[in-house]
Every structure is written in structure tokens, then in C-alpha cells.
């Protein structure tokens, strides 16, 4: 095998995985359909609130948090209720993540130079009953430097591994197929896209100038979500929210296309919870768009008034920052 591992996607998930695998002395191939200008993916554009539990920042503000409370909130928000074990791994992952966020996560990031804004935000606070949706306490720890501030240490680590020969990073390599043999994944095949001078986030060319095939026993798909693929969003729209809106805008660049999902499924991957999607309702069209249909979210001031399509104030707790899907449900009921 040419590589110990192949990582598809050089967003934050791909960078973290690549850095950690290469740290253990393994050789990694990191592929991304976009150019090097997009290294870090969506995370670079993000506000970068991080989920930490019972942190020094919370304690300094007098916020009493605990692993038990965070787990209760997680259960209330996730609503693990699917049949056929569809939630099995999501639940196991959630347990491990709550452990991580209570334990080593903050120190791990701190050791890489990540620092946090002293005021902890309160995103998705819910506002229903104690074991319902939302965070019972503020847990949104904002990284100094926001999105670029969280990408930087992982980019630094990956670049270090590129220099010492443990990581091969190949931008403009779009994976089109996961190769299999006897039911096991053996590698990837795809198209080499023409070089792009588009700036970070801008739509890039899809002209193919070649193809590739690489082999490894370990292939990690970290190709991001479906946010820019309105067709896929409409297809997987949750039934409880009625019809999908006629017009949508996108908080993510066009390359967040969800294309790898069906490619993974075709190779035997199990895709679950397709209809569990996240939408911010406080978005407006960016007056100076970087990508197609660029939408940005407005962070509400304390005195803002939010009205539905009929001019009525939203009912509590459907205010910005409380329960975005609950608000979406209310909007869907009053008109598009
Ligand atoms: C404006 C904004 C604000 C946000 N705020 C927060 C926040 O405060 N806190 C928080 O926790 N999260 C936040 N998020 C969400 C978070 O940033 C994303 O969930 C996260 O960055 C996704 O990382 P990823 O690596 O999984 O995917 P991505 O960043 O999408 O990376 C996936 C990569 O895979 C590549 N790829 C896809 N398909 C292929 C293919 N076939 N072949 C090769 N490459 C492929 C893509 O080009 C891309 O570079 C925010 C997101 C946005 C956009």
C-alpha cells in the first residue's frame, strides 16, 4: 500500500485527523477538491464557538456546569429515537465527545496555543423544559481569532508533517469513487481538477484535466456537509418541517456539496440521519457575496424585534439564539 491512510477533505476534520495520524508516524495522503487557498474549509469562515464543559472560563463567570448536565442537554437536543440502531454510533460518539469536552479537550487545544474569549456565549439555549432541547447554561467558548484561530494550529501541524515527509497534500483532487475489493475499501479514484486562482470561498472551476487512483487500507471521509447543495437539502428535508422553503441562501461555499455521501454509500458506507439538518433562520443575503447565494447570519442585538411573515412577534422561546429549528418550524407554519 502506498499510504497508511487517505483522508478525503482538508477541512478542519481532515486537518485534525491528518495531524493526529501523522503524529503517530504513519504516512497520510490528504486530498481536497479545492485549492490550497481553501485549506481549513468551513471552519475558517466560522465564528468558532467551542463546546467545553465546566471550564475555567465558565467558573470565572459563576456558571455551574457538569458532565451530567451536559449529557442531559445533549440527550434533550439529539432526541435519539430512531429504530434499527440508527442512533447507535451517534450516541456512542456523543458519550465520548461529552467526556472529551469535560476532560482533555481544553488542555489539548491550549497546548497548541488556542485561547478563549473570557465571556462564554449561550448559543441554542432552548427555553423549554429542563430535559428538552438546548444548553441549560452558556457553553459556547469563542476562540481568539474566531475561525482562522482554530484552523491555524492544525494547519501548522499538517504543514510540519508535509515538510518531514509524513503527509502528502494534494489539492484539486476530487474523489469520485471509493475502491473496494471483497467488500473492503482499498483506496480512492477521482478527477484532477484544473488549477484554480479563485480566492478562498469563491466558486472554482470543475474542468477535469486528468485522473488519479491511490491505495490504502484506511480511508477517512471527512468531506463536510450538504449546505450548498439545495437539491440534496430538499430531498432530505425533515417531514415535520413541511415543504422546504422556495428560496434558500447558503452559509457555506459551493464546494460543501455533499457529493461524497452517495459515493460513500455506493461503496457500502451506512449513511444515517440524513434528515437531521441544521438551519439558521436569521440569515440575509450577503450584499457582497463571495460564493453563490451567499447568506450571512445576523447576530442579534439585545433589543431586536423579530417578526414572522404576518408581522407578528415570534412566540417564546423562538428568539434568535434559542432554538433555531423550532423557529424554522414556526416560520414554515406562517408562510414562506
Ligand atoms: C459561517 C459559519 C459559522 C459556524 N460557526 C460554528 C461555530 O461557532 N461552532 C462550531 O462548532 N461550528 C460552527 N460552524 C460549523 C463548522 O465550521 C463546520 O461544521 C466544520 O467546519 C466542518 O468541517 P469539516 O472538516 O467536517 O467539513 P468542511 O470544512 O466542509 O471540509 C470538507 C472538505 O472536503 C472537501 N471535499 C468534499 N468532497 C470532496 C471530494 N469528493 N473529494 C475531495 N475533497 C472533497 C471540500 O472541498 C472541503 O474542503 C460554522 C460554519 C459556518 C459556515
Amino acid at each position: 500500500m502506498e499510504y497508511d491512510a487517505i483522508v478525503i477533505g482538508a477541512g478542519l476534520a481532515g486537518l485534525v485527523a491528518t495531524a493526529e495520524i501523522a503524529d503517530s508516524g504513519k504516512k497520510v495522503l490528504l486530498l481536497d477538491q479545492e485549492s490550497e487557498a481553501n485549506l481549513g474549509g468551513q471552519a475558517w469562515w466560522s465564528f468558532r464557538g467551542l463546546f467545553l464543559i465546566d471550564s475555567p472560563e465558565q467558573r470565572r463567570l459563576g456558571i455551574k456546569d457538569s458532565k451530567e448536565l451536559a449529557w442531559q442537554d445533549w440527550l434533550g437536543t439529539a432526541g435519539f429515537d430512531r429504530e434499527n440502531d440508527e442512533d447507535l454510533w451517534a450516541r456512542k460518539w456523543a458519550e465520548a465527545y461529552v467526556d472529551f469536552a469535560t476532560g482533555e479537550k481544553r488542555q489539548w487545544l491550549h497546548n497548541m496555543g488556542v485561547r478563549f474569549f473570557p465571556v462564554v456565549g449561550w448559543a441554542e439555549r432552548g427555553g423549554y423544559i429542563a430535559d428538552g432541547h438546548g444548553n441549560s447554561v452558556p457553553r459556547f467558548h469563542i476562540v481568539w481569532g474566531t475561525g482562522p484561530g482554530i484552523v491555524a494550529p492544525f494547519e501548522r501541524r499538517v504543514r510540519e508533517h508535509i515538510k518531514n515527509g509524513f503527509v502528502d497534500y494534494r489539492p484539486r483532487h476530487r474523489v469520485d469513487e471509493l475502491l473496494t475489493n471483497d467488500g473492503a475499501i482499498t483506496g480512492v479514484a477521482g478527477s484532477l481538477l484544473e488549477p484554480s486562482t479563485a480566492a478562498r470561498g469563491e466558486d472554482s472551476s470543475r474542468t477535469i484535466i486528468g485522473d488519479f487512483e491511490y491505495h490504502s487500507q484506511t480511508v477517512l471521509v471527512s468531506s463536510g456537509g450538504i449546505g450548498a447543495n439545495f437539491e440534496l437539502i430538499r430531498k432530505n428535508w425533515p417531514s415535520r418541517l413541511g415543504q422546504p422553503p422556495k428560496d434558500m441562501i447558503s452559509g457555506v461555499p459551493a464546494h460543501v456539496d455533499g457529493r461524497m455521501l452517495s459515493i460513500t454509500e455506493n461503496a457500502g458506507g451506512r449513511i444515517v440521519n440524513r434528515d437531521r439538518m441544521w438551519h439558521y433562520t436569521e440569515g440575509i443575503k450577503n450584499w457582497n457575496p463571495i460564493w453563490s447565494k451567499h447568506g450571512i447570519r445576523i447576530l442579534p442585538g439585545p433589543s431586536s424585534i423579530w417578526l414572522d411573515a404576518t408581522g407578528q412577534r415570534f412566540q417564546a422561546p423562538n428568539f434568535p439564539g434559542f432554538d433555531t429549528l423550532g423557529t424554522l418550524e414556526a416560520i414554515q407554519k406562517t408562510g414562506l
Side-chain angles (χ1 to χ4, degrees):
M1 291 283 168
E2 301 160 87
Y3 296 98
D4 294 308
I6 297 174
V7 174
I8 305 168
L12 188 59
L15 288 181
V16 172
T18 299
E20 292 286 316
I21 300 169
D23 269 3
S24 65
K26 308 274 187 214
K27 183 138 194 208
V28 187
L29 173 65
L30 174 61
L31 301 172
D32 201 293
Q33 60 188 351
E34 292 309 313
S35 68
E36 195 163 345
N38 284 283
L39 202 66
Q42 294 178 60
W44 194 90
W45 299 99
S46 77
F47 192 30
R48 203 33 62 191
L50 292 188
F51 183 76
L52 295 171
I53 301 158
D54 194 22
S55 68
E57 287 77 16
Q58 286 174 307
R59 275 180 253 137
R60 211 174 293 129
L61 293 169
I63 298 162
K64 291 187 176 32
D65 200 4
S66 67
K67 188 171 150 183
E68 293 68 33
L69 186 61
W71 181 239
Q72 176 183 301
D73 288 348
W74 195 300
L75 289 178
T77 302
F80 294 129
D81 58 3
R82 299 274 153 112
E83 291 169 0
N84 302 325
D85 276 350
E86 200 167 326
D87 288 324
L88 179 76
W89 288 105
R91 200 186 168 98
K92 281 188 190 297
W93 187 88
E95 274 167 15
Y97 199 79
V98 167
D99 243 11
F100 178 57
T102 317
E104 66 179 301
K105 180 177 175 185
R106 186 177 180 281
Q107 194 58 49
W108 178 65
L109 292 168
H110 206 265
N111 291 346
M112 281 182 263
V114 175
R115 297 291 180 272
F116 298 97
F117 188 68
V119 180
V120 183
W122 199 351
E124 283 301 293
R125 64 181 78 175
Y128 305 93
I129 49 180
D131 58 0
H133 170 85
N135 288 297
S136 305
V137 293
R139 291 196 181 100
F140 195 75
H141 296 70
I142 298 153
V143 168
W144 276 110
T146 65
I150 195 70
V151 171
F154 296 100
E155 178 178 343
R156 201 164 48 235
R157 286 174 63 190
V158 168
R159 287 201 187 281
E160 201 52 42
H161 283 304
I162 294 173
K163 247 194 281 163
N164 63 29
F166 282 102
V167 173
D168 238 347
Y169 164 50
R170 301 192 182 203
R172 301 301 277 162
H173 280 58
R174 187 187 70 191
V175 174
D176 300 324
E177 189 187 350
L178 298 179
L179 304 172
T180 58
N181 187 6
D182 249 353
I185 302 289
T186 55
V188 300
S191 311
L192 192 56
L193 303 179
E194 71 174 348
S196 167
T197 52
R200 185 187 281 277
E202 286 176 0
D203 297 5
S204 68
S205 147
R206 283 295 175 262
T207 303
I208 296 169
I209 55 165
D211 53 29
F212 64 85
E213 194 174 309
Y214 296 109
H215 300 274
S216 176
Q217 283 185 336
T218 306
V219 175
L220 182 81
V221 181
S222 48
S223 55
I226 64 170
N229 187 336
F230 294 170
E231 205 184 308
L232 215 49
I233 291 173
R234 290 203 163 91
K235 195 169 147 207
N236 294 308
W237 190 255
S239 51
R240 75 181 170 91
L241 294 179
Q243 291 300 309
K246 285 194 210 90
D247 296 312
M248 292 190 228
I249 49 180
S250 171
V252 292
H255 62 257
V256 185
D257 57 16
R259 212 173 139 267
M260 269 313 292
L261 293 181
S262 59
I263 294 171
T264 306
E265 197 165 32
N266 289 342
R270 186 171 176 228
I271 309 290
V272 298
N273 290 326
R274 288 164 216 266
D275 61 328
R276 284 191 160 143
M277 49 178 84
W278 184 261
H279 299 279
Y280 280 120
T281 47
E282 311 98 25
I284 54 166
K285 274 187 193 157
N286 191 339
W287 67 276
N288 190 13
I290 296 167
W291 54 78
S292 318
K293 308 223 174 210
H294 191 165
I296 46 173
R297 183 182 176 219
I298 315 161
L299 287 181
S303 56
S304 55
I305 292 182
W306 295 77
L307 307 172
D308 69 17
T310 63
Q312 302 300 308
R313 290 187 83 154
F314 286 110
Q315 290 192 356
N318 290 331
F319 311 120
F322 278 71
D323 175 10
T324 191
L325 292 182
T327 307
L328 179 59
E329 209 170 335
I331 292 173
Q332 292 291 93
K333 282 184 189 143
T334 59
L336 304 180

